[in-house]
Amino acid sequence: MTQSQFTPRVFSGIKPSGGLTLGNYLGAIKRFVGMQGAMETMYCVVDLHAITVWQDPKELSHATREVAAGYLAAGLDPSQSILFNQSRVSAHAELGWIFNCVARVGWMNRMTQFKDKAGSNAEKVSLGLYAYPSLMAADILLYHATQVPVGEDQKQHVELTRDIAAKFNHDYKTDFFPMTEPVIDGPATRVMNLRDGSKKMSKSGESDMERINMRDGADLIAKKFKKAKTDPEPLPDTLDGLKGRPEARNLVDIYAALSDTTSEAVITEYAGAGWGRFKPALADLAVDRLAPISDEMTRLMDDPAEIDRILADGAERARKIAEPILSRTYEIVGLLR
Ligand code: TYM
């Protein structure tokens, strides 16, 4: 197969560990919705990835449904996208093992996210956390996905997916796996921490004031933006004027992503504005966009059986795509079936 013969297919996923943040929404979910309809789209709740760090079993089930509710509330439609949770399709773990035997230890050692997460504790983290990027490659390549929308922090993992595909193809003299493209576009592919513009906004940051959670109420969102770190300068009239002002740049980018425009357009609109004007406008915009999603998530979470039904149905459809690809992989490797 040449690369152009792979059917365009989108795959992406979110870990159900803790709640969803504005970073997950702008860097991932909102962009997932934008790709829906244009081609085949598959969005997964990657529960097997979540347990690379211990999760309370009850909370894991809850968080899995909550990510699914976030998908649905933000506009993913199970009749247009395949929505499912990873552990329901055992082929992810099976292909993950094959890729553990393809990927090299040296490649894993270069993964910056592992280094950040493991820190000085690298000897004590789970083996799963270390092997995680090879399972992520399996998630993607199990469906021969050609495009993977992710935030900036996942770019290295998608590049590793390409390395694994290339090494597999080379080692087995085949062109079975595609060279997947990461899709990292728009103004908010790296939403930063509200208290420190050099760090990514994440669900696991120390203080809740550093992030906006999808389920935060209007008052809390307003308070968090009001207290967000900035500098004393007003907004400049060009984006260049935001160089060296990471906190200011972050708020402008968030505004742009929430209002479906560019950061340039926001700067033009707010040139010369002080934070006393910009922050309340940003908070109003965020509440306007997030409150309906959060309300809908609450409604959906009241009927967990319906979420489970949607995920089970999506898993059945996912399995139909995965099974022939896994079977062929086993055959290529020489495993008797
Ligand atoms: P996870 O669960 O950490 O994050 C899910 C998605 O949200 C994006 N994201 C952000 N984007 C912009 N700014 C931020 N502050 C921010 N925080 C998170 C992430 O880039 C990601 O797109 N390994 C993945 C999950 C995964 C996956 C996959 C993704 C597993 N298998 C296959 C794509 C394809 C992860 O931990 O994402």
Side-chain angles (χ1 to χ4, degrees):
M1 261 198 247
T2 61
Q3 288 300 312
S4 59
Q5 284 169 305
F6 288 100
T7 316
R9 181 178 286 143
V10 175
F11 181 94
S12 199
I14 296 186
K15 275 194 314 276
S17 49
L20 292 167
T21 68
L22 183 65
N24 296 132
Y25 176 61
L26 296 178
I29 302 178
K30 187 168 186 291
R31 297 171 52 235
F32 297 175
V33 178
M35 293 177 96
Q36 180 174 254
M39 63 190 99
E40 191 177 3
T41 42
M42 307 184 69
Y43 299 117
C44 189
V45 186
V46 286
D47 45 11
L48 295 175
H49 281 270
I51 60 165
T52 54
V53 174
W54 189 82
Q55 305 289 327
D56 176 85
K58 273 207 189 78
E59 279 170 25
L60 177 63
S61 311
H62 178 84
T64 301
R65 292 191 183 106
E66 198 173 56
V67 174
Y71 283 172
L72 294 164
L76 290 178
D77 173 353
S79 71
Q80 289 193 63
S81 291
I82 298 181
L83 308 179
F84 68 109
N85 60 307
Q86 182 187 26
S87 60
R88 273 205 167 95
V89 182
S90 58
H92 286 252
E94 294 174 81
L95 188 61
W97 178 256
I98 307 261
F99 287 168
N100 280 346
C101 302
V102 173
R104 305 289 94 182
V105 166
W107 300 359
M108 298 296 158
N109 287 340
R110 284 196 289 277
M111 294 296 113
T112 56
Q113 200 168 62
F114 176 76
K115 288 190 224 169
D116 291 348
K117 283 198 177 172
S120 53
N121 207 20
E123 295 280 313
K124 295 213 172 110
V125 298
S126 74
L127 186 54
L129 188 70
Y130 187 61
Y132 172 124
S134 134
L135 179 61
M136 176 160 162
D139 300 337
I140 295 167
L141 294 171
L142 184 58
Y143 304 101
H144 279 183
T146 53
Q147 274 130 293
V148 177
V150 280
E152 188 64 44
D153 62 321
Q154 294 299 320
K155 187 172 183 215
Q156 194 184 31
H157 291 159
V158 184
E159 282 164 0
L160 184 96
T161 300
R162 294 165 63 92
D163 291 341
I164 290 178
K167 182 157 167 56
F168 182 97
N169 288 350
H170 174 268
D171 288 357
Y172 293 101
K173 298 186 180 46
T174 175
D175 48 12
F176 187 59
F177 287 114
M179 287 299 125
T180 308
E181 295 288 343
V183 183
I184 302 172
D185 56 12
T189 53
R190 190 169 176 81
V191 177
M192 307 308 279
N193 177 320
L194 297 180
R195 307 311 287 270
D196 177 350
S198 69
K199 289 192 191 144
K200 191 187 73 164
M201 181 184 289
S202 87
K203 28 194 154 192
S204 56
E206 286 152 36
S207 154
D208 193 55
M209 292 301 284
E210 326 173 334
R211 61 182 164 264
I212 304 284
N213 304 298
M214 292 292 289
R215 310 300 296 278
D216 285 346
D219 291 349
L220 190 54
I221 291 178
K223 184 172 161 200
K224 286 180 175 178
F225 278 125
K226 191 168 168 218
K227 298 218 168 220
K229 184 178 168 200
T230 40
D231 51 40
E233 303 298 316
L235 284 169
D237 49 12
T238 63
L239 269 189
D240 263 2
L242 287 175
K243 280 210 179 102
R245 300 174 63 186
E247 286 86 9
R249 175 71 204 235
N250 187 39
L251 297 187
V252 168
D253 290 344
I254 292 174
Y255 192 105
L258 284 171
S259 56
D260 290 306
T261 178
T262 59
S263 304
E264 285 85 353
V266 175
I267 279 294
T268 308
E269 188 183 343
Y270 283 96
W275 297 110
R277 185 175 148 221
F278 187 76
K279 281 180 167 180
L282 175 58
D284 285 350
L285 173 66
V287 170
D288 189 59
R289 297 298 143 95
L290 299 183
I293 301 177
S294 175
D295 291 349
E296 179 62 4
M297 283 173 76
T298 306
R299 194 189 67 76
L300 290 162
M301 288 299 281
D302 274 347
D303 189 359
E306 174 60 7
I307 297 180
D308 292 1
R309 192 196 60 73
I310 291 169
L311 293 176
D313 174 70
E316 201 175 308
R317 286 150 67 202
R319 250 181 250 124
K320 290 209 173 90
I321 304 172
E323 271 161 13
I325 294 179
L326 183 70
S327 276
R328 181 70 194 125
T329 308
Y330 276 20
E331 225 169 71
I332 292 171
V333 174
L335 300 166
L336 300 180
R337 298 236 84 197

